[in-house]
Amino acid sequence: MTIADRIAAFRAELEEWLRGLYHGMITHPAYEKIEKEAEDAEDEFMLACFPDAFGIPSPVSYYTAELLPYLEDEFEAWERRLWDRESLIERKGQQYHF
């Protein structure tokens, strides 16, 4: 193995290690935050469309009921997820490490 081959192998291993370090320190936590924010936005949208599911009266329920066939799968998962949560304060506290 020549010196050039050894240097190329070292550079390839160093590049792989740095890529893993970058993913672990910067990209991965960002993905988690983005996923949680997207989930929160979806929860807010579904709650605005279907507040009757939680006993909140809404004058627009008649119109948003037309969306139910299109959002059926998401609605069931959303309702289950909201009932399983302890509280919104706990959810936001997890995002900010309280």
Side-chain angles (χ1 to χ4, degrees), residues 69-84:
Y70 302 105
L71 300 172
E72 180 182 1
D73 296 333
E74 290 87 2
F75 181 80
E76 291 173 1
W78 167 73
E79 193 173 29
R80 194 174 316 113
R81 188 172 63 238
L82 283 188
W83 285 120
D84 288 344

Side-chain angles (χ1 to χ4, degrees), residues 22-39 91 95:
Y22 177 78
H23 175 72
M25 291 180 66
I26 297 177
T27 353
H28 184 67
Y31 284 136
E32 288 180 357
K33 287 183 181 179
I34 290 169
E35 286 174 355
K36 285 186 178 183
E37 287 297 323
E39 192 175 276
R91 167 74 174 206
Q95 289 179 352

Side-chain angles (χ1 to χ4, degrees), residues 28-78:
H28 184 67
Y31 284 136
E32 288 180 357
K33 287 183 181 179
I34 290 169
E35 286 174 355
K36 285 186 178 183
E37 287 297 323
E39 192 175 276
D40 287 345
E42 181 183 351
D43 291 347
E44 292 165 3
F45 171 74
M46 295 293 279
L47 185 60
C49 288
F50 307 109
D52 295 337
F54 292 94
I56 302 169
S58 173
V60 296
S61 295
Y62 178 77
Y63 301 106
T64 57
E66 295 176 5
L67 295 174
L68 195 54
Y70 302 105
L71 300 172
E72 180 182 1
D73 296 333
E74 290 87 2
F75 181 80
E76 291 173 1
W78 167 73

